Amino acid sequence: MHILILGAAGMVGRKLTERLLREGRLGRQEITRMTLQDVVAPAKPANASIPVNVVASDFADAGAAAPLIAERPEVIFHLAAIVSGEAEAEFDKGYRINLDGTRYLIDAIRAVGGGYKPRLVFTSSIAVFGAPFPEKIGDEFFHTPLTSYGTQKSICELLINDYTRKGLLDGISIRLPTICVRPGKPNKAASGFFSNIIREPLAGEEAVLPVSEDVRHWHASPKSAVGFLVHAGTMDLNAMGPRRNLSMPGMSVTVGEQIASLERVAGKNVTARIKRVPDPTIISIVSGWPRDFATDRALKLGFTTAEKTFDDIIRIHIEDEFGGKFAA
């Protein structure tokens, strides 16, 4: 099996690559080669037991997808995107990368012809939903995105559904919760503070909280996100019927509950590093975000999370990124 990962230099892409190389197979099939693509060259895995090709290219350039698809990968993990805050601030760039890049990709798949029909796993987002919300957003709730990022993701879901319906690819769009705790440096995502208020204090640094502690949101760990992708790459998609998009399981917590979990796991000295500095722009964006989900359909299809409480999410981060130790 040849696997192509688009956006492989990002956090989820790196962790997905590590898991696939560690396990050496996807489902029942042995992985024989991998291609890792991003706008900056992904790090080439050391001591990989299979050929791994690294490609640096602009995913949204016309023609960039064709040489990647010419290798006829059987499974494509499409993680390439710019994040919510950047897509909102840079309108043209958001549509170019998040929408045009996806259209170029699926058209490149179509152009191969000859019966080529790869599995395409697209990382969508809960940003496809917009207020007003019910208490829990169920599988039948309609799409009314209130951001450019959510609109771009929603359009891509529809395109992948249609190309699948026409038999041009075998697609699935999974709407990831906000991934928390994200390792590395803060990015331009409007949701970045959810991770920042955990990650930076654990590293001994100050973090800024731009919203009130009663803000509620839907989260899953990086470990869960990789698990969702692997399952989407191996499951029987016929069980989904014609609707090839769904929201992933997660955990609904308030910012205050996040901070309480951090205090239980790491202590008051760590939570004292969180500074409250309200940001009207972030507050406005967050007000249109979903807070809780009922993901019955995903659960019935075998998608599961790696954690039961937010304390678990923090402990996973400490173990994976700090080797079990943190700045007390």
Side-chain angles (χ1 to χ4, degrees):
M1 174 184 283
H2 177 196
I3 292 177
L4 167 63
I5 302 178
L6 303 168
M11 179 272 295
V12 174
R14 293 194 306 271
K15 289 183 177 290
L16 175 62
T17 299
E18 291 168 4
R19 174 165 170 177
L20 293 175
L21 288 174
R22 183 173 65 249
E23 296 182 353
R25 60 181 54 250
L26 184 62
R28 297 179 180 178
Q29 288 191 267
E30 182 182 353
I31 301 169
T32 54
R33 57 186 294 215
M34 292 179 67
T35 300
L36 310 178
Q37 179 277 342
D38 213 317
V39 69
V40 295
K44 190 161 187 174
N47 305 315
S49 60
I50 59 172
V52 178
N53 185 33
V54 171
V55 178
S57 63
D58 188 340
F59 169 74
D61 277 351
L68 298 169
I69 301 305
E71 300 292 325
R72 298 173 73 95
E74 286 87 359
V75 178
I76 303 166
F77 291 101
H78 176 7
L79 317 178
I82 64 168
V83 294
S84 55
E86 189 173 4
E88 195 66 18
E90 301 192 43
F91 187 80
D92 291 334
K93 183 179 180 181
Y95 273 91
R96 176 179 173 271
I97 294 174
N98 292 343
L99 176 55
D100 295 345
T102 300
R103 182 65 187 271
Y104 289 143
L105 170 67
I106 58 180
D107 277 343
I109 292 171
R110 178 187 180 188
V112 171
Y116 176 57
K117 187 179 175 182
R119 171 73 57 97
L120 174 62
V121 180
F122 173 63
T123 50
S124 189
S125 168
I126 57 174
V128 301
F129 301 108
F133 301 116
E135 270 308 301
K136 287 180 180 284
I137 295 174
D139 293 316
E140 310 305 321
F141 191 68
F142 47 80
H143 295 187
T144 52
L146 296 178
T147 63
S148 295
Y149 177 75
T151 301
Q152 292 147 16
K153 290 290 189 178
S154 185
I155 294 169
C156 290
E157 284 189 11
L158 292 170
L159 287 171
I160 289 168
N161 258 13
D162 196 42
Y163 277 54
T164 296
R165 182 183 65 84
K166 298 290 283 186
L168 302 170
L169 52 83
D170 194 21
I172 175 173
S173 300
I174 59 173
R175 302 181 194 119
L176 295 179
T178 291
I179 303 305
C180 189
V181 179
R182 299 184 70 95
K185 298 295 183 182
N187 62 19
K188 295 182 180 180
S191 60
F193 68 88
F194 288 117
S195 287
N196 300 350
I197 62 171
I198 306 298
R199 181 185 59 237
E200 268 62 48
L202 287 170
E205 300 173 10
E206 190 175 281
V208 172
L209 174 61
V211 302
S212 70
E213 291 190 18
D214 62 0
V215 167
R216 178 174 290 279
H217 197 53
W218 188 243
H219 299 282
S221 70
K223 185 175 183 179
S224 287
V226 170
F228 299 151
L229 288 164
V230 169
H231 185 62
T234 59
M235 65 180 284
D236 176 11
L237 292 186
N238 290 324
M240 296 186 71
R243 189 173 44 158
R244 293 294 188 91
N245 44 37
L246 74 169
S247 303
M248 292 293 96
M251 182 182 307
S252 177
V253 296
T254 65
V255 169
E257 288 167 343
Q258 284 186 267
I259 295 171
S261 288
L262 182 61
E263 184 170 308
R264 282 192 297 271
V265 173
K268 291 184 177 180
N269 288 343
V270 173
T271 55
R273 296 171 186 144
I274 300 171
K275 306 302 178 185
R276 280 74 173 170
V277 183
D279 183 323
T281 300
I282 298 296
I283 291 169
S284 175
I285 292 173
V286 169
S287 68
W289 283 353
R291 298 178 292 272
D292 199 358
F293 285 81
T295 56
D296 298 339
R297 186 164 170 250
L299 293 170
K300 288 176 182 176
L301 289 166
F303 290 94
T304 58
T305 58
E307 56 281 331
K308 301 299 182 187
T309 68
F310 203 84
D311 294 33
D312 294 336
I313 287 180
I314 294 173
R315 291 190 183 102
I316 287 171
H317 179 72
I318 292 171
E319 186 61 36
D320 289 353
E321 307 302 328
F322 292 98
K325 299 179 181 180
F326 57 89

